[in-house]
Amino acid sequence: MERAPSAVAFASGPRLRRVLLLAPAVLFLLVFFVMPLLSDMARSVAPLQGGTKLTLHRYVAFLSDPFYLWVTAETLIVSSVVTVISILIGYPVAYLLVRKAGRWSGLIVFMLIAPLMTSIIMRTFGWQVLFARQGLVNEWLVQDLHILSARLRWFGSPGLAIAALVHVLVPFAVLSIASVLQGVDKRLEEGAMMLGASPLRTFWEVTLPLTFDGIGTGAILVFMIANGSFVTFVLLGGGFQTLPLMIYQQFNTTRDFDLASTMSTILLVIAVACLWLQLRLVRRKGT
Amino acid sequence: MKELTRRGFLGTGATAMGLWGLGARPLFAADKTLNVTAYGGVWEKAIRTCFVAPFEQKTGAKATVALGGPSQWLAQVEANPEHPPLDVLIMTPDLAVTAAQKGLMDDFTVEKLPNLKDIPKKFTDACLGKGTYFDYGVGGITYDKRKVKNPPKGFKEFVDRVSKGEFVASVPSISYAPAPIFFIWAMNHALGGTVENADPFFDAMKKMKSNLVFWAGPNDFFNDLASGEADLGIYFDGRTWNYVDQGVKWIDFINPEEGGAMTAVAVQKPVHASDLAWDYLNEMLAAQNQSKFADILNYGVTNTQVKYSTKLAPRVTPIDKTLMPPYADLAKVRNAWVDRWNREVGH
């Protein structure tokens, strides 16, 4: 039986079909991602009270205030530190997972993912219990091992929040690196060693460069999640301020939505810059 | 594989839109459904038991309970004041003033709310006539009895002893919305400061800072004490008694000798909200319902006809033993205080 001409044209037009298949996702993103973002940006340049003209005043005020610049810098520094530590811990684990684990790889992947199955609040609270002034770690250091004479206060600095974030984010680094490492042809490493390179040199000059893409992807992923992290800093930051905390404060305490939008847009620009970096890394690999 | 046809696509789309439309209908509140608000946890339970149940019984209407916080609820009303998605708002006193000043809330009168006659007028005046307080707690000193044998009697002593390192104290972080009132204002007032001059408070914070931890939400405070991170701190009476009732026998509460800040909970009705809200609000202000509410939450209530139970009576700080913060004035300086905190305490 012949189909109606319109249906044939519709079904056979691959371009139209692609557009229609993409439409729900595009529509969803437009309504729930792009439009709120645009609204947020519009709010950040909205006229000041009593004014009628759009203004960049809030950006100028934010970017010329050493306090806000310092908060932004601290947010970036802490995220960078979390990223570097996560990659340093994650790479050997990924290497072990892909090259050495064999039949244990499933178990390792499970152990990596298992912590992600519990709520971040529970995990963060676990850190609180362990590192409290009267907590288990101080108990060991002071009473059991006699390494310290007085209990340490861990909550007054960002150190504990960094450790907790690394705990949460290392799996992202491992999985990103492992997926690329899996694609590295083992014969290249064997070839290098047959030509006299030591295992260390083989790793340094063959394996590592071939996994830069995985490192880059993992780093960007970890950095961006750390950059927007909220709960960990609220519970473990000890008064340490980051940009997401300041945004929350503008919504919750001062209700200065315009300033919150300005801060959100600045945080967004940082995230977009990170994505751009990632794209550059991927393209460089492709050339 | 079956190919996608225009008819199939349009049919599926129309069905999806129809289902979505049906699902969305309850959002545009039906005439006999009221959308009220509550904080989570035991609060929600108390709201449902003490106010929603009698309201539904008397009116035959239904009430849905939206969980969240005042800032979020007010933002929802501000976004759509002509058709507010919520009919009754639980508010902090300073936000109640803000909402009233913006003309978003309805006037409270005895004609609309007969039970308002039993609520002290000053509580309605504090909301500029567009709301009233129905429940209150006091911000004071909660301490771990096992570690603190001789607790500070007031804010001044608290500051002195924490500064000297005698205790580690858990105090509210600035991200906790009521902190500027029950902590900054109350301590500043006790130390001789005024709304215009918060130097005494910020000087005290500088002295205490190395012996402070900060709680972001009420449950964090208890975690700080339970985990041994802090010995005492600034907290609420009612929440302390809730823990005692749950079997935590090692905590106790002191109303500071300078007077703790009355931390009230206001209730308001958006201008274009359903008129059914008046029936619900009247239940919220009724003595028998408030009495039950107080018993569940361990907080004082504002209806003067309420007789507290023998368990609760010694726990509730009488209204005249609390300090009522000048909420309208505080609303003007709150953002400046938050900014100053960020710069001087936050780092």
Side-chain angles (χ1 to χ4, degrees):
Chain A
M1 197 178 101
E2 269 186 46
R3 276 183 289 180
S6 63
V8 173
F10 181 80
S12 60
R15 201 166 165 194
L16 183 61
R17 189 158 56 173
R18 208 178 305 145
V19 168
L20 285 173
L21 285 172
L22 279 173
V26 171
L27 193 69
F28 182 85
L29 282 174
L30 269 177
V31 173
F32 293 107
F33 183 67
V34 177
M35 280 169 62
L37 276 184
L38 291 177
S39 151
D40 214 31
M41 286 177 190
R43 196 190 281 275
S44 71
V45 293
L48 298 174
Q49 205 169 11
T52 51
K53 286 184 179 167
L54 297 181
T55 175
L56 289 173
H57 173 84
R58 295 178 195 90
Y59 287 97
V60 174
F62 185 95
L63 295 171
S64 60
D65 187 328
F67 168 71
Y68 288 129
L69 288 179
W70 179 238
V71 170
T72 310
E74 275 191 329
T75 309
L76 294 176
I77 291 167
V78 168
S79 306
S80 304
V81 171
V82 170
T83 306
V84 170
I85 298 173
S86 298
I87 295 294
L88 287 177
I89 294 174
Y91 200 103
V93 178
Y95 192 85
L96 180 84
L97 181 69
V98 175
R99 291 280 189 262
K100 309 281 180 195
R103 62 197 174 96
W104 297 103
S105 59
L107 182 67
I108 294 177
V109 169
F110 173 76
M111 285 167 70
L112 273 171
I113 294 172
L116 301 178
M117 293 174 184
T118 38
S119 140
I120 190 165
I121 295 174
M122 288 302 292
R123 274 177 285 157
T124 311
F125 182 60
W127 283 87
Q128 226 173 2
V129 171
L130 282 176
F131 286 88
R133 201 164 48 97
Q134 310 281 344
L136 207 59
V137 173
N138 268 331
E139 192 108 341
W140 284 338
L141 293 173
V142 177
Q143 289 183 346
D144 299 342
L145 303 174
H146 304 288
I147 293 171
L148 297 175
S149 57
R151 290 167 185 273
L152 290 176
R153 295 267 325 275
W154 302 88
F155 288 93
S157 71
L160 200 60
I162 288 174
L165 273 176
V166 168
H167 173 224
V168 173
L169 297 177
V170 157
F172 293 92
V174 174
L175 296 176
S176 302
I177 296 167
S179 63
V180 173
L181 199 57
Q182 224 148 17
V184 174
D185 193 339
K186 266 186 98 174
R187 287 172 299 183
L188 291 171
E189 293 164 337
E190 288 163 2
M193 285 201 269
M194 279 168 66
L195 292 171
S198 67
L200 190 66
R201 194 171 172 202
T202 304
F203 171 76
W204 193 251
E205 293 191 12
V206 178
T207 317
L208 188 64
L210 288 173
T211 51
F212 275 157
D213 193 25
I215 295 173
T217 306
I220 296 293
L221 208 55
V222 170
F223 181 85
M224 282 171 66
I225 298 173
N227 209 33
S229 167
F230 176 75
V231 172
T232 310
F233 282 106
V234 165
L235 295 178
L236 298 175
F240 184 78
Q241 297 278 33
T242 62
L243 217 42
L245 290 186
M246 300 284 287
I247 293 168
Y248 173 74
Q249 192 186 73
Q250 302 312 313
F251 275 110
N252 195 45
T253 312
T254 65
R255 302 190 82 251
D256 189 343
F257 298 158
D258 297 340
L259 181 58
S261 296
T262 308
M263 292 176 176
S264 304
T265 307
I266 288 169
L267 197 61
L268 176 75
V269 168
I270 294 169
V272 170
C274 291
L275 278 174
W276 175 77
L277 257 177
Q278 185 187 25
L279 268 177
R280 280 204 60 173
L281 266 173
V282 173
R283 278 184 189 157
R284 186 178 294 173
K285 194 207 168 210
T287 53
Chain B
M1 202 171 86
K2 198 177 172 186
E3 287 183 316
L4 182 67
T5 64
R6 192 201 307 266
R7 186 175 293 171
F9 178 77
L10 291 176
T12 309
T15 309
M17 290 301 284
L19 287 171
W20 178 79
L22 281 174
R25 275 186 69 80
L27 288 175
F28 307 104
D31 284 350
K32 296 289 268 180
T33 301
L34 199 68
N35 298 317
V36 304
T37 51
Y39 295 121
V42 68
W43 245 88
E44 181 198 356
K45 183 186 152 203
I47 288 275
R48 286 186 190 279
T49 310
C50 307
F51 307 135
V52 170
F55 162 77
E56 290 184 340
Q57 198 180 6
K58 283 187 187 169
T59 61
K62 285 279 164 206
T64 60
V65 180
L67 302 181
S71 189
Q72 165 210 331
W73 295 323
L74 181 56
Q76 284 176 263
V77 173
E78 281 175 311
N80 196 1
E82 296 300 316
H83 303 283
L86 301 163
D87 298 303
V88 175
L89 300 191
I90 302 289
M91 298 285 266
T92 56
D94 54 331
L95 276 186
V97 171
T98 305
Q101 283 170 335
K102 288 185 173 181
L104 292 167
M105 299 297 154
D106 244 337
D107 288 316
F108 273 33
T109 62
V110 177
E111 288 72 41
K112 295 172 191 161
L113 295 164
N115 288 326
L116 191 63
K117 69 180 190 311
D118 295 325
I119 310 293
K121 189 173 172 295
K122 63 178 178 179
F123 296 151
T124 308
D125 292 344
C127 299
L128 311 182
K130 294 171 185 297
T132 195
Y133 299 164
F134 80 99
D135 162 66
Y136 72 93
V138 173
I141 300 164
T142 295
Y143 61 100
D144 182 339
K145 288 195 280 188
R146 299 167 303 185
K147 295 182 202 154
V148 183
K149 302 294 177 199
N150 172 29
K153 309 281 181 301
F155 284 124
K156 280 182 196 157
E157 196 183 335
F158 178 92
V159 171
D160 285 342
R161 293 171 72 182
V162 173
S163 303
K164 286 175 189 158
E166 190 178 337
F167 310 115
V168 170
S170 178
V171 297
S173 118
I174 198 65
S175 296
Y176 183 58
I181 291 160
F182 87 96
F183 182 40
I184 301 182
W185 177 79
M187 187 173 273
N188 188 52
H189 183 269
L191 298 174
T194 60
V195 172
E196 292 75 28
N197 173 25
D199 290 348
F201 171 80
F202 285 103
D203 291 343
M205 287 297 282
K206 275 178 210 154
K207 283 195 261 174
M208 292 191 290
K209 196 177 170 186
S210 55
N211 298 308
L212 291 180
V213 288
F214 298 89
W215 54 267
N219 293 336
D220 300 342
F221 172 79
F222 180 72
N223 294 341
D224 282 341
L225 250 58
S227 67
E229 185 59 28
D231 308 309
L232 79 181
I234 304 297
Y235 202 49
F236 299 111
D237 51 355
R239 284 187 181 266
T240 306
W241 303 129
N242 279 336
Y243 283 119
V244 172
D245 286 349
Q246 286 166 25
V248 182
K249 302 296 180 197
W250 47 265
I251 55 173
D252 208 343
F253 178 84
I254 288 178
N255 182 26
E257 60 189 0
E258 301 95 341
M262 177 197 193
T263 310
V265 178
V267 62
Q268 292 181 299
K269 172 191 171 292
V271 172
H272 296 289
S274 162
D275 279 343
L276 263 179
W278 296 121
D279 295 296
Y280 178 79
L281 286 163
N282 206 40
E283 293 302 322
M284 287 189 90
L285 303 181
Q288 71 275 17
N289 296 340
Q290 286 207 352
S291 180
K292 265 197 266 177
F293 188 81
D295 232 33
I296 295 175
L297 284 183
N298 279 302
Y299 277 119
V301 283
T302 54
N303 189 310
T304 51
Q305 303 305 309
V306 166
K307 297 273 182 285
Y308 294 115
S309 65
T310 48
K311 178 194 87 175
L312 194 56
R315 291 178 172 181
V316 171
T317 311
I319 289 175
D320 57 1
K321 293 269 172 56
T322 67
L323 294 176
M324 189 159 148
Y327 289 113
D329 295 335
L330 288 173
K332 292 175 199 155
V333 297
R334 181 189 55 208
N335 290 8
W337 282 3
V338 171
D339 188 58
R340 186 169 174 187
W341 175 299
N342 284 337
R343 291 164 197 269
E344 296 182 20
V345 183
H347 287 262

